[in-house]
Amino acid sequence: MLMGLLRLLPPETAHALTISALKLGLGPSLKNKRDLRVMLFGKEIRNPIGLSGGADKEAAVLPAWSKMGFGIVEAGTVTLYPRNGNPTPRMWRLATPARAVAPSGAERMANKYNSLINWLGLPGPGLDPFIKNLAAFQTHPARKDLCVGASIASPDSKLDEFKILARAVAPYVDYITLNASCPNVAHDDHSLENTAASQIKSAKEGAGRIPVLVKLGPTRDITALERMVRAALSAGVDGFVATNTVPYSNSNLIDARRIAWPTHNGKEVGGYSGPQLLETSCWMVREIRKLVPATMPIIGVGGIQSGADAKHMLASGANAIQIYTGLIYKGPALLDDIALHL
C-alpha cells in the first residue's frame, strides 16, 4: 500500500519522503538469511546486491540500506560544489504506451512498465556534507556489513575536480566510480574515450589504493565499446560499471515508440532506465568480460527488476549487480526475490 501511495506523488517528492523516512529508522529490516557472500575489491561482502548511484546522493541513509539487506551501496553522484541541477520537472514515470507523462502534465499515473526518465542534472549540496555523512558512517556498526562506493563527477569535466573528489572520499569508501557518461550534463566535444581516460588518471592520482571504476554509457556498438574499454585499461582503471541510462540520442537501444519523450525548450532531455535496458546491459557486460582480466570486477546495472534478471546479469559475467528503478517500483521485496534466485 505504501508503494502505491508514493507513486501518487511526483517522483522527486516521493524520493525525498522515502529518504526522510529512512533517516527516522522506518525502513524495513533484512529478511534474507542465505549465505551469498562474495569477494569484491579484496574484501568479503555479504551479498552482491547493490544500490546504484543516484538513490542516496548525499550518503545520508547508509545504515538504512544495510538494514534493508544490500551488500553494496554506491552513494552519490557527488560533485565538488553545490548544484541546483536542471529545471523541474526533471523526473518522469513512464505510463501506458504512447502516454508517458510530458513535463507539463500532472504526474499521477501508475506505471505498469516500471520505467523512469530522469533529467536531474546532478543536484546536490556538494562535497562537504557528503564527506560528513561518510565519516559518520565509519563508526556505525553497519559499516562492517556494507561495501560502500562513491560515484563522483565533474559537470565541467575538470580534471583537478576528479582528483580532489577522489582524494576526499577515498578514506571512507571501498571503491570509487567515475561517472563519465551521465547523459544529463554537457560533455566536451572531443573523443569520449580520451576524456574518460584523462579523468580516470586524475581520479587514480587522488584515490591512492582505493579502486577506481568507470561507468559506461549504453551502446551496442562493439567497436566503440572496445575503444572505450581499452582506453580505460590503459589509464589504469580497476573495473567497470555497465551501464548508465539511455539518452534520447541513443533511444534506438529501446522501443522509444512507447515513450512520449520529455522535452525542454523543444529538445528531448533525460535518460531512460527500466526493463528495456536489461539486454543491452547484459550484452555490454559479456563483451567487457572478454576484454578485461578475469579478476577485474564488473558491476552490472540497468533493467534489473526481478531475481531472474539479476541471475541473468551475473551469468553474463558481472561480479555484482546494482538496482534503483526496480526498487522504486517493486520495493524492498525485490531484494528478497533476488536473494532467492541467487
Side-chain angles (χ1 to χ4, degrees):
M1 177 181 290
L2 179 59
M3 298 297 297
L5 291 173
L6 286 173
R7 283 201 291 271
L8 294 175
L9 300 172
E12 279 199 81
T13 303
H15 180 78
L17 286 175
T18 299
I19 295 296
S20 296
L22 293 177
K23 284 181 179 179
L24 295 173
L26 300 179
S29 297
L30 171 69
K31 294 180 182 179
N32 168 53
K33 302 298 183 182
R34 298 172 182 84
D35 186 354
L36 298 175
R37 288 174 291 180
V38 296
M39 292 297 296
L40 195 64
F41 308 119
K43 66 179 290 184
E44 185 178 78
I45 61 175
R46 65 182 177 185
N47 65 54
I49 307 170
L51 182 70
S52 75
D56 192 352
K57 296 179 182 65
E58 301 176 34
V61 288
L62 294 173
W65 303 123
S66 178
K67 178 183 173 185
M68 199 178 296
F70 283 99
I72 310 164
V73 170
E74 189 172 296
T77 296
V78 64
T79 57
L80 186 56
Y81 303 108
R83 283 176 58 85
N84 292 325
N86 291 322
T88 57
R90 54 193 183 180
M91 183 179 285
W92 303 272
R93 301 184 187 99
L94 304 187
T96 52
R99 290 198 63 193
V101 179
S104 58
E107 237 294 351
R108 295 291 184 271
M109 198 178 300
N111 172 28
K112 70 177 184 179
Y113 291 100
N114 296 354
S115 302
L116 295 172
I117 290 180
N118 93 77
W119 185 53
L120 291 170
L122 303 178
L127 180 60
D128 290 345
F130 188 80
I131 294 298
K132 182 178 179 181
N133 289 335
L134 286 178
F137 187 58
Q138 285 295 94
T139 58
H140 196 284
R143 180 63 179 94
K144 62 181 174 56
D145 293 323
L146 202 63
C147 176
V148 178
S151 174
I152 64 173
S154 170
D156 301 315
S157 298
K158 294 180 178 179
L159 297 183
D160 61 324
E161 291 189 2
F162 287 101
K163 185 175 180 179
I164 293 168
L165 287 163
R167 180 180 290 129
V169 304
Y172 309 106
V173 299
D174 300 300
Y175 74 98
I176 296 167
T177 294
L178 183 67
N179 190 355
S181 58
C182 178
N184 299 321
V185 294
H187 293 287
D188 293 342
D189 291 330
H190 60 285
S191 167
L192 183 59
E193 61 263 28
N194 290 339
T195 300
S198 298
Q199 294 172 358
I200 290 165
K201 290 177 182 177
S202 294
K204 290 280 292 180
E205 288 179 17
R209 63 177 182 82
I210 300 300
V212 173
L213 284 66
V214 63
K215 189 169 188 177
L216 302 181
T219 184
R220 287 280 189 146
D221 183 334
I222 186 61
T223 302
L225 180 60
E226 288 177 350
R227 282 203 312 265
M228 176 63 82
V229 170
R230 290 191 175 111
L233 291 172
S234 69
V237 79
D238 299 295
F240 293 87
V241 180
T243 176
N244 221 320
T245 57
V246 180
Y248 182 76
S249 60
N250 244 8
S251 58
N252 60 298
L253 296 174
I254 60 176
D255 186 0
R257 295 172 301 175
R258 294 172 177 256
I259 301 171
W261 209 282
T263 61
H264 179 75
N265 291 337
K267 182 179 180 181
E268 289 82 3
V269 295
Y272 166 92
S273 61
Q276 292 193 54
L277 187 51
L278 179 64
E279 289 307 323
T280 291
S281 301
C282 289
W283 178 86
M284 290 182 66
V285 168
R286 286 194 297 271
E287 296 303 322
I288 295 168
R289 179 54 69 200
K290 297 174 186 176
L291 299 168
V292 304
T295 55
M296 180 167 282
I298 302 174
I299 299 177
V301 54
I304 298 170
Q305 299 202 354
S306 70
D309 294 342
K311 193 171 183 178
H312 182 30
M313 181 67 78
L314 292 172
S316 296
N319 301 90
I321 61 144
Q322 290 178 347
I323 60 174
Y324 181 18
T325 301
L327 183 67
I328 291 172
Y329 284 101
K330 301 293 184 67
L334 176 57
L335 278 77
D336 289 329
D337 185 40
I338 292 172
L340 177 64
H341 278 76
L342 302 188

